[in-house]
Amino acid sequence: MSKQTIRLKYACDQDKSVLINNFEARGWIPVNPDDDWNFYWANVQSIRSVFSVDSGFRLQDDQVVNHFPNHMELTRKDLMVKNIKRYRKELDKENSPLTERDENGRFVHLDFIPQTYMLPADYNLFVEEFRKNPNTTWIMKPCGKARGIGIFLVNKLSQLKKWSRDSKTSNFVPPTSKDTYVISKYIDNPLLIGGKKFDLRLYVLVTSFRPLKCYMFKLGFCRFCTVKYNANVNELDNMFVHLTNVSIQKTGDDYNAVHGGKWTVQNLRLYLESTRGKEVTDKLFDEIDWQIVHSLKAVSGVISNDRHCFECYGYDIIIDDNLKPWLIEVNASPSLTSTTSSDRIMKYKLMNDVINIVIPPGEAPDVRWNKTVSRDHLGNFYVLYDEDLAQSDPITLDPKNKLGPGALGMRGGREQKGRPSPATWK
Amino acid sequence: MDSHFAPAYTQKLLQSLKSSKIYTDLQNAAQGEVAKTNIRVSELKKGVQTGLSSSGWEKKLRNVIFQYLQTHPLSSYPVSTPTDHIKEPLAYLRKAQQAWEKRILKSLNSMCTELNIPLARKRPEKEQKDLLSRWTELGTDGPDLSQIRPVYAPKDFLEVIMCLQNPNYNASDSTGTYTLWGLVQLPLKLNDINKLRILYSDMAINQCQTGVDDSSEIPPEMFDSDRVKLGKKVIAADHGPISQEYSKKGCPMSLRASIWSQILGIELDEFDTLYYEQLKSNVIAHDLLVDSLLYKDVKLTATNDDQYFVFEDFLYQILLPFTRDTEVLKHFSRNSATPPKSYIRGKLGVEDYAVIYPPNGVIPFHGFAMYVAPLCYLYKEPVKLYYVFREIYSRYFFRLHSISSHPQGIVCLSLLFETLLQTHEPALFFHLKSVGCQPLKIAFKWLVRAFSGYLSSDQVLLLWDRILAYNSLEILPVLAVAIFSFRKTNLVKVQSYNAAEAVLADLTTLQVIPLIQLSLFSK
């Protein structure tokens, strides 16, 4: 079914075997990014020129590309935080049932990113918060960088002198993304398995923001730190304890090249269901799904919803020891480098399934296509949220009508119990 | 008590009860009942009995007796039978096991001599402190293991089993009718497919199963919700036989840990915790050579396994205390093996100076850690994990690495595998044999490890559900045959051992329960 009857032309910026092998298996023809392509797997740099006004270049109806023009709204740490905060405010104004709060005044459904400030912009706000809880550890991340570069932990204000407004020269220049940082409350009670800390890398495919159509890849994985977790402040400099990024862990002595510190989400589920029970495990995975949908909803108004675009995001999530998930960040170009053989198989499937969803089966890309994917073409993805389905077909929301994932606006039906119906979101 | 229990058996059971904790507990409880004001002297006995039953003590007693019955099968031997005969009735197999033990011990001793390390030594104070502080992260900065090699691997053990001969049985004529096709050349009595079908009848295709019908593709209302509901009732009943019966159709992930503890009769109290702590302090005090063997084994297996690497540190916390646990020695009354002995320096052969080495009598082989690894998914507290593992090992897994004629022993399981495969896939068996690839050469390691490390973790647990439920390891060869059948299309094309091995190298995608059903019930 996945075999394309038409030999499409593809362009690709990354020389990654999981990409090229997929294109070749379909009999696609490689072309230069400057030529006429049907499918372009671009890196974030070249995507700017594709959409820049100066290039004078208009995408044709049969062309698709793997990024939205302003994906930074979701994938740059500061912008994501700003958008989610705004989204919460808007819902609050509408008195949406989603803004339900608990006895401590925290959002029940919408409190899913660790408390975060922008530096230097929010420096004073941050100082105020820091003084309230001086024993908290914070994590500083440069806005525009990925793979753990430039990240450090902070537990004293003096470490942040450089970012205070006072230190700026009088001719104030608005900071660029290069030297803006976000500082977030560090999750200091992460869930540990075998004594080790981990985070989740989940792949989410978005084919449209308005209406929102997004899919979750079932074969996500946990990334483990090689060193036993230790919240001791003396260990703050030992980044192997704190950062799960494979690019960081790979340089450690204990890095194992056979498994690369990666554990499948299925194994995580087996462990959690066995040791903690089914109800809390279902709740956790359900919450993760909803967080992702909320984060996408939060940017759906600002993203330019170009119909030529799709995007496969790498979501990073940390679970704390109360089994509450926290959204840490979203990557626009999750690594397609394979560290192990099972990693290669998984990423190959990811690309294969992405292509099957973004290109109408057996046809050339077509912007007029309604982007509704039949169950047979979902592969290892399931429908995370489909605004069209959720709004047009109330039957799909009936929990009884559970023919498995994919048939529904939202995965399953039982997950929706006790939650506001997604159809109420406008 | 039912009449089919021989008086001697009942006698032994009573003896064992009297020396166990339940006896004093019951006595105390009975005294409590007597002291109650509503008891009439005229109906003292009846009153105490109803009191004990309604306060749950009767169930506890039943559970203890159930555990005894599980681990002490009814014996058909007369009372005067010598113990080594009970351990293994066939003299030539007894000898073979002894020779094998000697070989292992010799290899262990020669490693000691070669590397100039003692079998055991007391740790200096400083080292003890260091070890204690690292107890939960023993995986990092372990000892230098470059010189250590596993004492034996399943491959070596298979070679021994292949050479076993029954002296009363004429197999000298290699083309004769009496020569078996496979590698195991012993005429042992086995269950045939019809008996197995009856034994495993609860796994029949028309019976809904956890491991098949709980798939995410199937709406939970069809099966899974009710199954979980029933399972919760079973757990609430807290009665071993009921849990065992329930497990025949598999345990839902969220209930498995409790169901298994009930089947195995693991109920921890402060004594158990204390006992584990004692074992731990024994590890801290002394350094044994087997520790290094276990370290090496974990490093070679679980540490490199993408399903189990997470639990590396847990494994040491289980395996090292296990070697010090003399309770494990009890299982040797049912095992054809005898715990190895070592002698204090200069007193070689003098029985008075003999000590069992290691203290639990079990010398680990390559892959031993994999008996523990799947259990790490079920229990997050090392103590619970420890007792569950110890019980499973001394009920089942010890049979997978000793030579015996027991129907659950590795020899019979291997033979059962070969016989079933020959009966159901004769063409496949013949083809593999003729290209120089005896099927057992591939399947043997699966059997020895009870498939741990070969299947995906959830599947191993589903398989072990059935081992505990049917109190039998015979499901292992059944599955091995099923796998050969399932990969038949590719196997009939291979022309070499390596090619066959490649076809069967990755089993992580298999769904074991449907496979077993297919091979047991479809023909």
Side-chain angles (χ1 to χ4, degrees):
Chain A
M1 288 296 280
S2 65
K3 276 267 180 294
Q4 301 289 320
T5 41
I6 308 169
R7 299 185 67 188
L8 300 181
K9 283 176 275 185
Y10 76 89
C12 186
D13 284 344
Q14 285 168 295
D15 186 23
K16 294 286 192 279
S17 65
V18 290
L19 288 168
I20 309 294
N21 291 348
N22 257 300
F23 301 144
E24 284 176 354
R26 289 163 189 266
W28 289 5
I29 305 152
V31 297
N32 206 291
D34 301 330
D35 294 334
D36 276 340
W37 37 260
N38 301 107
F39 185 100
Y40 184 13
W41 192 271
N43 57 30
V44 283
Q45 290 79 24
S46 39
I47 206 70
R48 254 175 250 146
S49 60
V50 169
F51 288 106
S52 92
V53 196
D54 315 333
S55 71
F57 178 113
R58 269 196 52 143
L59 292 178
Q60 302 299 309
D61 281 358
D62 62 352
Q63 292 190 303
V64 287
V65 61
N66 68 325
H67 290 290
F68 285 92
N70 57 342
H71 63 84
M72 297 79 73
E73 295 288 343
L74 179 65
T75 60
R76 225 178 72 187
K77 297 165 188 98
D78 52 341
L79 296 178
M80 176 190 83
V81 171
K82 193 187 78 190
N83 283 316
I84 289 177
K85 285 182 178 171
R86 197 202 49 235
Y87 173 67
R88 282 200 296 231
K89 246 181 237 156
E90 283 169 7
L91 288 174
D92 228 358
K93 248 187 238 158
E94 292 169 22
N95 267 328
S96 159
L98 286 165
T99 54
E100 180 188 344
R101 291 168 190 258
D102 65 12
E103 62 276 13
N104 302 321
R106 290 186 156 272
F107 289 105
V108 177
H109 306 295
L110 298 174
D111 178 38
F112 56 82
I113 47 171
Q115 201 169 11
T116 298
Y117 297 92
M118 256 65 91
L119 290 185
D122 297 336
Y123 185 78
N124 293 335
L125 278 175
F126 168 72
V127 171
E128 202 178 306
E129 179 60 35
F130 186 91
R131 296 220 161 105
K132 267 192 240 163
N133 299 301
N135 290 324
T136 320
T137 303
W138 296 78
I139 186 161
M140 277 284 274
K141 296 179 184 174
C143 290
K145 298 220 172 76
R147 293 189 298 281
I149 298 166
I151 292 181
F152 59 95
L153 297 181
V154 170
N155 60 348
K156 289 192 200 72
L157 267 186
S158 59
Q159 290 164 287
L160 294 178
K161 275 263 158 61
K162 230 172 106 187
W163 284 270
S164 74
R165 285 212 181 244
D166 312 337
S167 73
K168 290 279 169 202
T169 44
S170 53
N171 50 345
F172 182 72
V173 199
T176 60
S177 82
K178 238 180 173 176
D179 41 30
T180 45
Y181 274 70
V182 291
I183 188 160
S184 316
K185 209 172 236 176
Y186 184 63
I187 307 291
D188 56 4
N189 60 334
L191 174 69
L192 305 180
I193 296 180
K196 295 187 180 83
K197 184 186 164 178
F198 67 98
D199 76 352
L200 277 177
R201 162 52 64 90
L202 301 173
Y203 297 97
V204 174
L205 174 66
V206 177
T207 56
S208 159
F209 276 94
R210 290 190 305 275
L212 182 60
K213 287 175 188 288
C214 51
Y215 306 85
M216 167 77 93
F217 192 58
K218 290 175 202 159
L219 310 179
F221 56 88
C222 310
R223 299 179 292 190
F224 276 81
C225 290
T226 50
V227 176
K228 194 147 199 102
Y229 182 71
N230 180 350
N232 189 329
V233 279
N234 301 328
E235 286 266 10
L236 283 187
D237 287 340
N238 186 353
M239 278 297 157
F240 295 116
V241 179
H242 302 286
L243 296 188
T244 52
N245 304 64
V246 171
S247 40
I248 294 254
Q249 292 290 336
K250 240 168 135 170
T251 54
D253 289 340
D254 292 317
Y255 180 78
N256 181 307
V258 182
H259 49 71
K262 290 177 182 173
W263 211 43
T264 63
V265 167
Q266 286 97 316
N267 279 332
L268 175 67
R269 195 178 246 285
L270 175 63
Y271 175 79
L272 290 177
E273 272 199 32
S274 304
T275 56
R276 306 254 186 159
K278 185 165 169 55
E279 287 76 13
V280 289
T281 309
D282 281 347
K283 180 168 170 276
L284 166 70
F285 282 97
D286 188 30
E287 269 181 343
I288 291 174
D289 283 358
W290 280 102
Q291 284 182 357
I292 291 170
V293 173
H294 283 310
S295 70
L296 293 170
K297 278 265 168 192
V299 297
S300 64
V302 287
I303 293 257
S304 109
N305 188 41
D306 192 308
R307 291 191 60 82
H308 301 92
C309 303
F310 67 91
E311 203 153 26
C312 179
Y313 300 103
Y315 269 77
D316 289 347
I317 285 166
I318 288 189
I319 302 168
D320 71 19
D321 58 4
N322 304 314
L323 293 195
K324 177 176 170 54
W326 296 92
L327 173 55
I328 302 302
E329 62 178 78
V330 185
N331 294 278
S333 0
S335 162
L336 292 174
T337 313
S338 315
T339 52
T340 66
S341 65
S342 44
D343 205 35
R344 191 174 59 245
I345 296 167
M346 182 272 289
K347 283 173 180 164
Y348 182 88
K349 286 184 184 159
L350 172 68
M351 286 318 305
N352 183 42
D353 294 346
V354 165
I355 297 172
N356 284 342
I357 291 177
V358 300
I359 295 181
E363 295 171 39
D366 185 355
V367 290
R368 286 155 303 184
W369 181 42
N370 66 3
K371 296 192 176 183
T372 300
V373 185
S374 88
R375 259 186 88 180
D376 305 339
H377 292 98
L378 286 173
N380 294 291
F381 278 98
Y382 62 86
V383 179
L384 196 52
Y385 192 74
D386 188 319
E387 213 161 7
D388 273 349
L389 283 182
Q391 291 183 348
S392 67
D393 192 359
I395 301 159
T396 59
L397 295 173
D398 179 359
K400 290 248 163 58
N401 182 17
K402 190 172 178 292
L403 296 166
L408 302 175
M410 179 72 193
R411 178 174 59 123
R414 79 194 132 157
E415 286 91 345
Q416 291 176 357
K417 266 181 230 152
R419 296 206 169 247
S421 155
T424 60
W425 306 353
K426 290 281 152 62
Chain B
M1 195 151 289
D2 289 358
S3 58
H4 68 265
F5 291 102
Y9 187 84
T10 322
Q11 201 73 43
K12 275 200 175 153
L13 166 61
L14 287 177
Q15 256 171 26
S16 130
L17 282 180
K18 274 187 187 164
S19 60
S20 72
K21 197 171 156 282
I22 186 90
Y23 189 76
T24 40
D25 285 348
L26 271 174
Q27 207 162 27
N28 290 339
Q31 269 167 6
E33 291 298 329
V34 170
K36 280 187 185 160
T37 46
N38 56 354
I39 286 211
R40 271 188 258 159
V41 183
S42 55
E43 285 178 345
L44 186 64
K45 187 172 176 189
K46 205 179 150 210
V48 170
Q49 273 174 349
T50 27
L52 287 180
S53 138
S54 61
S55 56
W57 281 103
E58 189 191 339
K59 200 193 290 166
K60 280 193 182 148
L61 179 62
R62 280 176 184 277
N63 272 330
V64 173
I65 294 173
F66 168 70
Q67 296 308 333
Y68 186 89
L69 296 179
Q70 289 285 296
T71 48
H72 298 75
L74 296 172
S75 144
S76 51
Y77 300 114
V79 191
S80 57
T81 316
T83 40
D84 59 341
H85 187 97
I86 293 175
K87 279 161 73 91
E88 171 51 55
L90 297 177
Y92 71 97
L93 286 183
R94 213 150 59 214
K95 268 190 202 145
Q97 170 64 25
Q98 282 161 6
W100 170 237
E101 282 166 18
K102 233 182 222 167
R103 218 180 106 185
I104 297 172
L105 206 56
K106 204 172 145 195
S107 145
L108 194 64
N109 281 324
S110 66
M111 185 160 31
C112 282
T113 327
E114 246 173 70
L115 306 178
N116 195 24
I117 37 176
L119 278 176
R121 70 177 175 92
K122 196 170 164 59
R123 288 182 213 276
E125 195 84 16
K126 193 164 162 268
E127 198 184 314
Q128 293 194 15
K129 267 192 194 145
D130 171 59
L131 193 65
L132 190 60
S133 69
R134 295 189 297 114
W135 181 252
T136 56
E137 43 189 325
L138 293 173
T140 28
D141 308 325
D144 173 29
L145 301 166
S146 50
Q147 304 286 313
I148 303 286
R149 47 172 204 274
V151 178
Y152 68 97
K155 202 170 61 144
D156 310 307
F157 189 41
L158 175 61
E159 271 166 31
V160 175
I161 288 178
M162 276 163 55
C163 297
L164 295 176
Q165 291 282 345
N166 181 350
N168 303 322
Y169 185 72
N170 181 11
S172 58
D173 173 14
S174 61
T175 55
T177 353
Y178 297 111
T179 311
L180 298 173
W181 270 19
L183 292 176
V184 181
Q185 289 295 324
L186 302 178
L188 296 169
K189 191 174 180 309
L190 302 170
N191 274 336
D192 63 10
I193 185 81
N194 292 323
K195 288 231 179 85
L196 291 172
R197 278 179 186 154
I198 293 166
L199 175 65
Y200 292 108
S201 58
D202 280 295
M203 292 186 74
I205 293 169
N206 57 6
Q207 305 274 323
C208 287
Q209 306 277 330
T210 300
V212 184
D213 303 278
D214 58 335
S215 127
S216 60
E217 308 286 307
I218 300 170
E221 299 81 51
M222 301 281 285
F223 170 72
D224 199 38
S225 325
D226 286 344
R227 182 80 187 143
V228 171
K229 238 183 253 166
L230 179 65
K232 285 181 177 163
K233 273 191 202 161
V234 168
I235 292 173
D238 189 20
H239 192 32
I242 298 177
S243 304
Q244 194 172 39
E245 193 60 28
Y246 178 80
S247 185
K248 286 185 174 174
K249 289 181 183 169
C251 301
M253 284 184 221
S254 54
L255 308 180
R256 184 175 284 124
S258 308
I259 300 267
W260 282 22
S261 312
Q262 291 183 356
I263 299 176
L264 298 166
I266 307 288
E267 214 179 311
L268 297 189
D269 54 26
E270 59 271 40
F271 295 107
D272 296 311
T273 315
L274 209 63
Y275 184 74
Y276 173 83
E277 286 301 318
Q278 183 60 46
L279 296 174
K280 178 178 154 186
S281 61
N282 291 346
V283 176
I284 306 280
H286 290 94
D287 184 17
L288 302 187
L289 175 65
V290 284
D291 294 354
S292 299
L293 290 173
L294 288 167
Y295 259 114
K296 183 79 177 193
D297 190 43
V298 172
K299 292 282 180 202
L300 288 174
T301 57
T303 309
N304 287 322
D305 190 311
D306 57 7
Q307 316 202 50
Y308 302 116
F309 72 92
V310 173
F311 302 118
E312 182 186 349
D313 292 332
F314 260 42
L315 293 174
Y316 302 119
Q317 294 174 52
I318 305 309
L319 289 165
L320 300 184
F322 181 67
T323 60
R324 271 63 168 186
D325 192 345
T326 50
E327 278 291 305
V328 180
L329 293 174
K330 283 188 182 159
H331 91 278
F332 283 103
S333 67
R334 281 167 283 133
N335 188 348
S336 64
T338 316
K341 280 182 185 154
S342 172
Y343 297 90
I344 289 172
R345 195 162 291 181
K347 303 283 184 189
L348 193 71
V350 185
E351 276 307 311
D352 286 351
Y353 293 92
V355 282
I356 288 171
Y357 183 90
N360 70 343
V362 182
I363 294 176
F365 57 91
H366 180 51
F368 193 83
M370 297 313 275
Y371 289 151
V372 190
L375 303 174
C376 296
Y377 277 94
L378 301 187
Y379 304 98
K380 54 183 198 292
E381 300 87 16
V383 182
K384 186 86 186 251
L385 175 56
Y386 178 78
Y387 285 101
V388 170
F389 161 67
R390 188 180 78 177
E391 193 58 32
I392 291 183
Y393 176 81
S394 41
R395 273 194 200 190
Y396 307 106
F397 292 158
F398 73 88
R399 299 204 187 277
L400 297 175
H401 60 98
S402 47
I403 300 169
S404 81
S405 60
H406 193 282
Q408 313 249 340
I410 188 69
V411 182
C412 280
L413 297 180
S414 299
L415 188 60
L416 183 57
F417 164 74
E418 293 192 318
T419 318
L420 286 176
L421 193 61
Q422 280 161 21
T423 318
H424 297 280
E425 302 288 355
L428 174 61
F429 192 100
F430 185 74
H431 170 75
L432 290 173
K433 184 180 154 73
S434 57
V435 298
C437 168
Q438 276 282 0
L440 185 61
K441 283 205 168 168
I442 293 175
F444 189 74
K445 53 183 186 293
W446 303 340
L447 301 177
V448 171
R449 281 199 196 170
F451 282 96
S452 172
Y454 297 106
L455 302 170
S456 66
S457 35
D458 58 327
Q459 297 296 311
V460 177
L461 295 170
L462 285 167
L463 180 67
W464 290 11
D465 276 345
R466 273 69 179 188
I467 294 181
L468 268 62
Y470 295 95
N471 204 18
S472 166
L473 291 164
E474 281 160 292
I475 200 80
L476 300 176
V478 170
L479 174 61
V481 170
I483 293 171
F484 272 78
S485 291
F486 188 62
R487 298 256 163 106
K488 187 171 150 185
T489 327
N490 289 323
L491 285 173
V492 291
K493 288 185 203 142
V494 302
Q495 293 302 325
S496 71
Y497 174 78
N498 287 344
E501 202 170 40
V503 171
L504 295 165
D506 183 10
L507 308 183
T508 52
T509 52
L510 298 180
Q511 299 283 316
V512 296
I513 304 305
L515 273 184
I516 292 172
Q517 289 184 319
L518 214 62
S519 112
L520 266 184
F521 300 105
S522 69
K523 281 162 207 154

